């Protein structure tokens, strides 16, 4: 490969039902073929879609990343998302604070976390300055190193605001209670806010629980998460998913704690409450498979 330093970006769009809008977003990405979509994961119940996109880094010198095809592709996709989706008119069973809700960067191949954090800051400046959307930086992209979960709590991200277990897009404050790192302090209710950050690779794993008792599953999710005294590096959230509930989990240290440990712990906690649990599923490719998929697609191109 000509370029050995790669970055992956997970772009979360608060839309999983409007096929025309998603097709428009993907066409915008298609104008930047050197950035490759390695995985698309739409979810109708959550009304949310995640795109995993990979490309190479362009360096001015060894100390600074100055560009990447990812930057142009992400801007085009975000711009199209804001044109085709109105946050204030939709809702879903997954939290949301923006049309483009979350953009996370992760190093692949020979790149470093510092390098992809530089790219994250460039993308944040593009969205805040050119699209006039408030941007909150987190982890390696944030000078203060704030955790994504902490920023989300400051915006009541985890509290359902519509029909008990749904999140609506029209409940954001007109002025952010915390200062954005890029973009205006005032919030456009049709666009919302976006979190942008950089971290080591994160795996997402969802486990269906066969009950409609939301409070009970929330208790299990809290007990399995690191914050609740459970497994290290695990974050978990109970969400309504169709006619059942899911524990949506994130593995912040996937080489240390993975699906086997989390599946076993959820099954144990659920059995104490007399509940049955289905086999969980990953919502994205692994870090290694993502890299291989990009290499194969880039070589073909």
């Amino acid at each position: 490969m000509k370029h050995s330093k790669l970055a992956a970006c997970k772009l979360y769009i608060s839309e999983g039902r409007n096929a025309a809008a998603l097709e428009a977003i993907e066409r915008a990405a298609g104008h930047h073929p050197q950035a490759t979509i390695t995985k698309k994961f739409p979810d109708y119940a959550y009304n949310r879609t995640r795109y995993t996109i990979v490309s190479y880094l362009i360096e001015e010198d060894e100390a600074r990343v100055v560009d990447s095809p990812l930057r142009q592709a992400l801007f085009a996709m975000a711009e199209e998302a804001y044109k085709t989706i109105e946050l204030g008119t939709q809702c879903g069973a997954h939290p949301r604070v923006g049309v483009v809700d979350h953009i996370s960067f992760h190093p692949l191949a020979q790149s470093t976390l510092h390098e992809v954090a530089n790219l994250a800051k460039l993308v944040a400046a593009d969205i805040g300055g050119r699209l006039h959307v408030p941007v909150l930086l987190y982890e390696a992209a944030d000078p203060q190193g704030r955790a994504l979960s902490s920023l989300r709590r400051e915006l009541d991200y985890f509290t359902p605001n519509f029909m008990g277990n749904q999140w609506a897009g029209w409940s954001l404050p007109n002025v952010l209670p915390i200062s954005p790192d890029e973009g205006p302090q005032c919030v456009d209710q049709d666009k919302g806010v976006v979190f942008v950050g950089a971290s080591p690779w994160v795996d997402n794993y969802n486990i269906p629980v066969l009950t409609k008792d939301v409070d009970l599953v929330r208790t299990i999710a809290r007990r399995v998460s690191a914050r609740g005294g459970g497994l290290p590096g695990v974050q978990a959230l109970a969400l309504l998913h169709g006619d059942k509930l899911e524990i949506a989990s994130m593995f912040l240290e996937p080489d240390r704690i993975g699906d086997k440990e989390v599946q076993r712990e959820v099954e144990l906690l659920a059995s104490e409450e007399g509940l049955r649990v289905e086999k969980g599923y990953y919502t994205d490719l692994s870090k290694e498979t993502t890299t291989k998929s990009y290499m194969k697609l880039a070589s073909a191109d």
Side-chain angles (χ1 to χ4, degrees), residues 77-90:
M77 295 175 79
E79 185 177 40
E80 191 62 38
Y82 291 125
K83 287 179 182 176
T84 55
I85 302 166
E86 291 185 357
L87 184 69
T89 61
Q90 51 99 285

Side-chain angles (χ1 to χ4, degrees), residues 62-113:
E62 293 184 357
R64 192 162 70 100
V65 170
V66 295
D67 210 348
S68 168
L70 262 180
R71 181 181 178 185
Q72 288 76 42
L74 285 168
F75 183 84
M77 295 175 79
E79 185 177 40
E80 191 62 38
Y82 291 125
K83 287 179 182 176
T84 55
I85 302 166
E86 291 185 357
L87 184 69
T89 61
Q90 51 99 285
C91 66
H94 193 285
R96 64 203 57 229
V97 292
V99 166
V100 180
D101 193 67
H102 178 200
I103 304 176
S104 63
F105 288 84
H106 311 279
L108 293 180
Q110 297 178 33
S111 64
T112 66
L113 182 57

